[in-house]
């Protein structure tokens, strides 16, 4: 991804010839025209000034290239050329041509027809050289990484066109400029559609083994955060078809009505986010462990919510979208707790042991502690290798687990530990509640623990 270029100041101008030469040039022009050498004057002047402007383009990093040559350039090099082109359009229209116009006005004075003709002939080659490159880019192969640079080109030409129309009176040049602008706009739409297709059809089958945030949402959110900077251009270019609305209607559910309230770019982003969420749900099915499925979905949706809240995307998708996904994050967290800890917590129930500590069956009690220890150790062994990358979310998860497990375990041990008193009691009551609290701090760090270290850590 790239940073957008700076704008040229409105008060920026350059002297295209030495000021002391102006009077001599005016005198030469006046004598040639009055002597009947108007055509020769036009040819010589426009030729010299045309070459000067082409040289300026070269200095600005724009070179003369055919469409075939442009299409063969590798992306890294093409990206640099596109960046130079954007700055060149701003410099040529905002500085060089306006300066050239002032120079023509100053030199030709009362020769109005000659003045306009000289300027048009001078400017034509320079402008067409820029437009030829723009046209070549507009018909290049679509790929998502090109979108932002094409948008830079589109905006630069769009913003320059009114001034260009005012200065250049050659209808063919202006028609060509409008055609290139339209072509760049089509390239923007086609490239964005290619990006949407990449997300829609991204079907990698390799899961992130820790349940961490998948590379896909990281890529998409960085892309969309940049895209919002171009909302004016995108809103003017994008349209949403009835077919697209129908395609996403089931996925969006109650959010279909929200489309009416959004800008064209906002609608596309909402639909794209729906595609991304669906893609992530499909990727979660690659995990055999249902609890890890929940952790993966929780991590990824939380990441999307945080990225939207911390960027201008929040103004696009609105608070309703954020609230709905925040609820789903909590649902995934609750789903994890239920799937992952239900078996361990079932070992801490009174059923099957007796109504009171005195009537408890020692054999059943030993079995309960053994089962709980085995469940907890397996969870610890596996889930220390899982990862919740966001520190706040990771802490909330640990607190939720602690609030469910520790009071239940402390109560169970308090009620029944006296039935297992003796030199073998530590074989069954291996951990204190404080030990479990300590072990829970290791969960979701993404570094699998060694099982035989678990008891040593509590001593």
């Amino acid at each position: 991804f790239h940073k957008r270029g700076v704008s040229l100041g409105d008060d920026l101008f350059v002297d295209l010839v030495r000021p002391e030469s102006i009077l001599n040039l005016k005198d030469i022009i006046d004598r040639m025209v009055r002597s009947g050498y108007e055509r020769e004057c036009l040819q010589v002047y426009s030729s010299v000034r045309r070459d000067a402007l082409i040289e300026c383009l070269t200095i600005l990093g724009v070179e003369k290239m055919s469409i075939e040559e442009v299409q063969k350039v590798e992306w890294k090099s093409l990206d640099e050329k596109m960046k130079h082109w954007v700055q060149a359009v701003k410099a040529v229209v905002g500085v060089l041509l306006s300066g050239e116009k002032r120079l023509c006005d100053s030199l030709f004075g009362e020769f109005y027809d000659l003045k306009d003709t000289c300027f048009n002939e001078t400017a034509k080659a320079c402008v067409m050289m820029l437009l030829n490159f723009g046209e070549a880019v507009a018909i290049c192969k679509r790929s998502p990484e090109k979108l932002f640079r094409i948008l830079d080109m589109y905006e630069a030409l769009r913003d320059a066109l009114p001034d260009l129309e005012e200065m250049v009176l050659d209808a063919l040049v202006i028609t060509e400029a409008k055609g290139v602008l339209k072509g760049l706009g089509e390239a923007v739409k086609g490239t964005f559609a290619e990006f949407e297709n990449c997300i829609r059809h991204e079907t990698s089958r390799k899961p992130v083994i820790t349940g961490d945030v998948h590379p896909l949402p990281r890529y998409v959110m960085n892309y969309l955060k940049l895209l919002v900077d171009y909302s004016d251009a995108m809103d003017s270019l994008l349209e949403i078809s009835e077919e697209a609305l129908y395609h996403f209607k089931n996925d969006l559910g109650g959010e279909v009505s929200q489309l009416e309230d959004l800008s064209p770019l906002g609608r596309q982003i909402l639909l794209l986010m729906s595609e991304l969420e669906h893609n992530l749900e499909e990727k979660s099915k690659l995990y055999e462990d249902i609890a890890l499925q929940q952790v993966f979905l929780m991590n990824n949706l939380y990441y999307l919510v945080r990225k939207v809240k911390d960027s201008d995307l929040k103004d696009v998708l609105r608070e309703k979208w954020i609230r709905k996904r925040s609820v789903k994050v909590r649902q995934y967290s609750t789903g994890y707790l239920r799937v992952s800890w239900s078996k361990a917590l079932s070992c801490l129930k009174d059923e099957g042991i007796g109504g009171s500590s005195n009537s408890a069956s020692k054999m059943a009690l030993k079995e309960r502690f053994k089962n709980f220890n085995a469940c907890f150790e397996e969870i610890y062994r596996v889930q220390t290798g899982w990862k919740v990358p966001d520190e706040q979310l990771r802490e909330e998860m640990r607190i939720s687990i602690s609030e469910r497990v520790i009071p239940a375990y402390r109560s169970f041990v308090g009620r029944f530990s006296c039935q297992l008193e003796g030199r073998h009691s530590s074989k069954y009551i291996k951990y204190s509640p404080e030990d479990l609290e300590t072990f829970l701090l290791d969960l979701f760090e993404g570094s699998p623990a060694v099982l035989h270290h678990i008891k040593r850590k509590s001593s």
Side-chain angles (χ1 to χ4, degrees):
F1 299 114
H2 71 283
K3 294 181 179 178
R4 303 182 70 178
V6 297
S7 299
L8 295 168
D10 294 334
D11 57 347
L12 184 62
F13 66 93
V14 293
D15 289 322
L16 301 177
V17 298
R18 292 191 298 273
E20 60 269 22
S21 303
I22 297 292
L23 290 178
N24 287 336
L25 288 171
K26 288 181 68 174
D27 186 46
I28 292 171
I29 290 170
D30 184 68
R31 291 189 182 197
M32 289 186 72
V33 173
R34 296 187 188 284
S35 301
Y37 293 99
E38 180 177 316
R39 180 180 298 177
E40 288 81 359
C41 179
L42 169 63
Q43 290 175 342
V44 173
Y45 180 88
S46 60
S47 175
V48 171
R49 297 311 305 158
R50 181 169 60 242
D51 291 345
L53 289 178
I54 295 297
E55 184 178 352
C56 288
L57 277 186
T58 303
I59 294 170
L60 290 168
V62 177
E63 54 187 300
K64 190 172 183 179
M65 298 177 70
S66 68
I67 290 177
E68 292 77 13
E69 288 173 330
V70 172
Q71 293 182 336
K72 291 178 181 177
V73 177
E74 293 184 358
W75 165 239
K76 186 175 181 181
S77 177
L78 181 61
D79 181 55
E80 282 298 310
K81 293 181 185 300
M82 293 165 75
K83 183 165 58 176
H84 290 153
W85 187 92
V86 169
Q87 293 301 323
V89 168
K90 297 175 181 178
V92 166
V93 177
V95 180
L96 296 178
L97 290 188
S98 60
E100 197 67 46
K101 189 76 166 63
R102 285 195 301 272
L103 180 63
C104 277
D105 291 345
S106 176
L107 293 177
F108 288 90
E110 66 200 44
F111 304 122
Y112 298 108
D113 292 340
L114 187 60
K115 174 171 57 179
D116 291 337
T117 303
C118 268
F119 174 75
N120 286 324
E121 288 299 314
T122 298
K124 184 175 181 179
C126 173
V127 173
M128 291 304 297
M129 187 169 160
L130 285 171
L131 294 178
N132 288 340
F133 181 84
E135 181 184 7
V137 168
I139 62 176
C140 276
K141 182 181 178 181
R142 309 282 191 248
S143 55
E145 70 272 11
K146 296 178 182 177
L147 178 61
F148 300 105
R149 199 62 77 194
I150 297 175
L151 273 164
D152 285 340
M153 293 178 66
Y154 175 84
E155 289 187 338
L157 185 55
R158 178 201 63 190
D159 295 343
L161 191 56
D163 289 336
L164 193 64
E165 285 186 278
E166 187 176 334
M167 289 186 290
V168 178
L169 303 181
D170 190 319
L172 290 176
V173 173
I174 299 304
T175 299
E176 182 70 16
K178 290 179 178 178
V180 171
L181 181 64
K182 182 179 179 181
L184 289 171
E186 292 299 319
V188 167
K189 293 191 286 185
T191 304
F192 184 65
E194 185 63 27
F195 170 68
E196 291 178 309
N197 287 333
C198 286
I199 306 310
R200 192 171 296 126
H201 301 299
E202 201 286 322
T203 55
S204 59
R205 304 292 297 172
K206 186 177 180 181
V208 181
I209 59 173
T210 60
D212 198 351
V213 177
H214 194 276
L216 180 63
R218 296 184 188 277
Y219 170 69
V220 171
M221 297 311 291
N222 285 334
Y223 202 94
L224 293 182
K225 282 170 62 179
L226 268 178
L227 195 60
V228 173
D229 290 340
Y230 298 89
S231 57
D232 288 344
M234 293 299 293
D235 283 339
S236 68
L237 291 170
L238 288 178
E239 296 176 358
I240 183 167
S241 65
E242 292 299 321
E243 182 183 356
L245 280 174
Y246 177 81
H247 178 71
F248 287 107
K249 187 174 182 179
N250 292 333
D251 290 336
L252 288 174
E255 290 175 332
V256 171
S257 59
Q258 187 181 345
L259 288 172
E260 303 299 326
D261 301 326
L262 297 178
S263 66
L265 177 59
R267 293 173 183 177
Q268 292 291 157
I269 289 178
L270 180 63
L271 296 173
L272 187 62
M273 293 294 282
S274 176
E275 284 279 7
L276 178 58
E277 289 178 60
H278 177 72
N279 193 310
L280 291 171
E281 288 171 4
E282 290 299 308
K283 291 186 186 304
S284 72
K285 297 174 185 177
L286 298 174
Y287 298 100
E288 294 183 4
D289 192 318
I290 297 177
L292 185 54
Q293 289 182 13
Q294 301 294 304
V295 169
F296 173 79
L297 289 169
M298 176 191 70
N299 277 335
N300 282 270
L301 194 56
Y302 184 85
Y303 176 83
L304 298 183
V305 170
R306 186 164 56 83
K307 286 296 181 180
V308 169
K309 290 174 68 175
D310 294 343
S311 70
D312 290 337
L313 284 167
K314 66 178 180 296
D315 298 324
V316 175
L317 292 172
R318 314 282 177 82
E319 187 64 30
K320 183 178 179 181
W321 185 94
I322 294 174
R323 286 199 307 271
K324 187 171 182 179
R325 271 68 189 179
S326 297
V327 169
K328 289 184 71 174
V329 169
R330 290 193 293 272
Q331 289 172 346
Y332 290 135
S333 174
T334 302
Y336 155 80
L337 290 170
R338 183 179 62 254
V339 173
S340 204
W341 291 94
S342 293
K343 185 177 179 182
L345 289 171
S346 68
C347 299
L348 305 179
K349 294 181 178 179
D350 293 353
E351 290 88 346
I353 295 177
S356 67
S357 60
N358 293 329
S359 62
S361 166
K362 284 189 177 183
M363 188 64 68
L365 195 56
K366 289 176 181 179
E367 195 65 23
R368 289 292 183 86
F369 275 109
K370 283 173 62 177
N371 290 341
F372 176 83
N373 294 337
C375 286
F376 184 85
E377 289 168 4
E378 178 62 13
I379 290 172
Y380 181 87
R381 182 187 68 81
V382 172
Q383 296 187 16
T384 49
W386 296 357
K387 189 170 185 179
V388 176
D390 185 85
E391 184 177 352
Q392 179 180 338
L393 183 60
R394 186 168 63 246
E395 182 62 23
E396 290 174 0
M397 289 289 289
R398 289 169 176 168
I399 290 172
S400 296
I401 297 168
S402 180
E403 289 175 346
R404 284 198 174 204
V405 176
I406 302 305
Y409 183 74
R410 179 178 283 111
S411 175
F412 192 80
V413 171
R415 293 199 310 276
F416 299 113
S417 61
C418 60
Q419 300 299 309
L420 299 178
E421 288 180 349
R423 58 196 182 102
H424 297 300
S425 63
S426 60
K427 180 180 177 181
Y428 303 103
I429 308 176
K430 294 171 66 174
Y431 312 112
S432 69
E434 289 70 30
D435 292 335
L436 299 189
E437 287 270 24
T438 301
F439 297 139
L440 291 178
L441 296 177
D442 293 335
L443 299 185
F444 313 124
E445 291 288 351
S447 302
V450 180
L451 183 59
H452 65 265
H453 285 171
I454 188 169
K455 180 59 179 172
R456 184 186 303 171
K457 191 169 183 178
S458 67
S459 60

